[in-house]
Amino acid sequence: PVQGMPKTSNPNGVGYVDYVLWGNDGKPLAVVEAKRTMVNAEQGKVQAGLYADCLERMTGQRPVIFYTNGFDTWIWDDRFHPPREVQGIHDQDALQLMMDRRRTREDIRRAPIDQRIVERAYQHEAIRRVAEAWVGDEQGRLVGLGRRALVVMATGAGKTRTAASLVDLLMKANWVKRALFLADRTALVTQAQRAFKEHLPQVSTLDLTKDTYDPTARVVFSTYPTMLNRVDKGMVEDMKLFGVGHFDLVIVDEAHRSIYDRYRAIFDYFDALLLGLTATPRADADRDTYE
């Protein structure tokens, strides 16, 4: 039960939240409004927002909002991002990170770029353009904009180094804790991990095609089939190895339309920022890399 609902809909001001997900500190991390399967999940948006209002007044912490009908699930962190559809409810750790980032998240448009990783002007410009696509200002506060970006650079221009520099910036600005780097061949996975180790020696990495998963790894490298298999079948103590909020950023190397079509389930599953890297974009009506 929650107090403070509008008297127009609840004369006694009392409402009943379907589910509240609590943090270890006893404060609400999320509310979940569960609609019947025959009802559009988005019909629960306003009601869930009212429950969040009540819990914020009662506890001093505004929870993340979920509304679902069992088939479609939406997340709404209305302190930063507009609603978006997700594949499931985030776990406690991921929700706690969202709460923490409300206080610690920095403006990535102005965060310093490490000159030791990338020194060329076009690499800096690529990072700044991605940042501008992902964050903006609204009434004096930071707000999230888009969540996807495509970096187009000629072969040999340093796409992997640029991606490593962006990861470094996002981690230092408290946007990203764990990142996933995907490539379509093991040779590219090995090559990318080697580059990250060279330019980000302080960040722990893991090649999922060779090693057992280690939850302390900050950047995980994998081929598409390996990751798809781990998402489908990977379990630890009856829990999924990778929850929907496990990674904050997914990087797609050689982001061609064929890869996106074939392995779209990975990008749909993880509720993460998505960065595509390519040297050969296509903009034909039937093969549009940007789309």
Side-chain angles (χ1 to χ4, degrees):
V2 291
Q3 299 283 345
M5 292 292 285
K7 296 292 179 70
T8 51
S9 58
N10 301 56
N12 61 1
V14 178
Y16 293 88
V17 188
D18 288 330
Y19 299 93
V20 180
L21 308 182
W22 302 95
N24 290 329
D25 59 1
K27 292 188 176 183
L29 295 176
V31 295
V32 183
E33 173 63 15
K35 290 297 182 188
R36 298 175 188 273
T37 54
M38 296 175 65
V39 174
N40 188 322
E42 293 182 74
Q43 290 187 23
K45 177 182 176 182
V46 173
Q47 191 174 359
L50 293 173
Y51 290 148
D53 293 341
C54 294
L55 280 163
E56 183 178 13
R57 286 192 292 268
M58 292 166 60
T59 67
Q61 178 165 286
R62 185 170 188 80
V64 175
I65 297 163
F66 290 92
Y67 40 97
T68 180
N69 62 5
F71 293 112
D72 303 321
T73 301
W74 291 76
I75 184 174
W76 185 20
D77 182 7
D78 61 354
R79 285 290 179 265
F80 192 67
H81 269 124
R84 61 184 180 272
E85 197 165 1
V86 289
Q87 295 290 307
I89 308 294
H90 289 238
D91 64 22
Q92 189 185 51
D93 290 342
L95 290 170
Q96 187 62 59
L97 267 176
M98 286 188 194
M99 292 294 144
D100 297 341
R101 285 179 181 139
R102 289 177 179 176
R103 300 184 299 274
T104 63
R105 184 191 284 118
E106 298 176 13
D107 189 345
I108 55 175
R109 296 169 299 178
R110 298 173 180 85
I113 297 172
D114 192 334
Q115 302 274 355
R116 294 168 297 182
I117 305 175
V118 289
E119 69 282 347
R120 297 176 181 175
Y122 64 82
Q123 295 167 329
H124 284 232
E125 184 172 353
I127 293 168
R128 293 302 184 206
R129 294 296 86 79
V130 170
E132 289 166 4
W134 285 352
V135 69
D137 298 290
E138 183 179 286
Q139 298 177 348
R141 65 184 178 91
L142 286 181
V143 293
L145 301 177
R147 291 175 58 82
R148 298 185 172 194
L150 181 70
V151 171
V152 179
M153 280 188 187
T155 301
K159 290 189 296 295
T160 306
R161 284 180 67 165
T162 302
S165 181
L166 182 61
V167 168
D168 176 64
L169 183 150
L170 290 169
M171 285 184 171
K172 289 176 179 175
N174 294 313
W175 276 61
V176 167
K177 180 180 180 182
R178 286 185 290 253
L180 171 64
F181 191 106
L182 293 168
D184 60 349
R185 301 195 308 276
T186 53
L188 291 175
V189 168
T190 302
Q191 182 179 320
Q193 186 186 26
R194 190 183 303 123
F196 269 70
K197 281 183 173 180
E198 178 186 350
H199 300 298
L200 299 177
Q202 76 282 8
V203 175
S204 55
T205 65
L206 176 86
D207 183 346
L208 203 59
T209 66
K210 299 175 182 174
D211 304 312
T212 305
Y213 179 66
D214 180 354
T216 64
R218 301 290 299 279
V219 183
V220 174
F221 297 83
S222 177
T223 59
Y224 298 97
T226 297
M227 178 50 66
L228 202 55
N229 184 59
R230 296 298 180 92
V231 167
D232 286 342
K233 301 175 183 176
M235 302 289 286
V236 177
E237 296 178 358
D238 295 327
M239 295 285 287
K240 270 188 171 290
L241 181 61
F242 298 119
V244 295
H246 189 86
F247 295 107
D248 304 298
L249 171 69
V250 175
I251 302 170
V252 184
D253 194 24
E254 301 299 330
H256 308 308
R257 183 176 177 273
S258 59
I259 286 173
Y260 191 84
D261 285 349
R262 188 174 178 187
Y263 298 109
R264 181 172 184 155
I266 300 174
F267 314 127
D268 287 343
Y269 178 73
F270 288 116
D271 181 34
L273 298 168
L274 184 65
L275 179 72
L277 309 174
T278 187
T280 54
R282 297 287 293 273
D284 303 336
D286 62 332
R287 294 186 63 187
D288 190 337
T289 309
Y290 303 94
E291 185 65 29

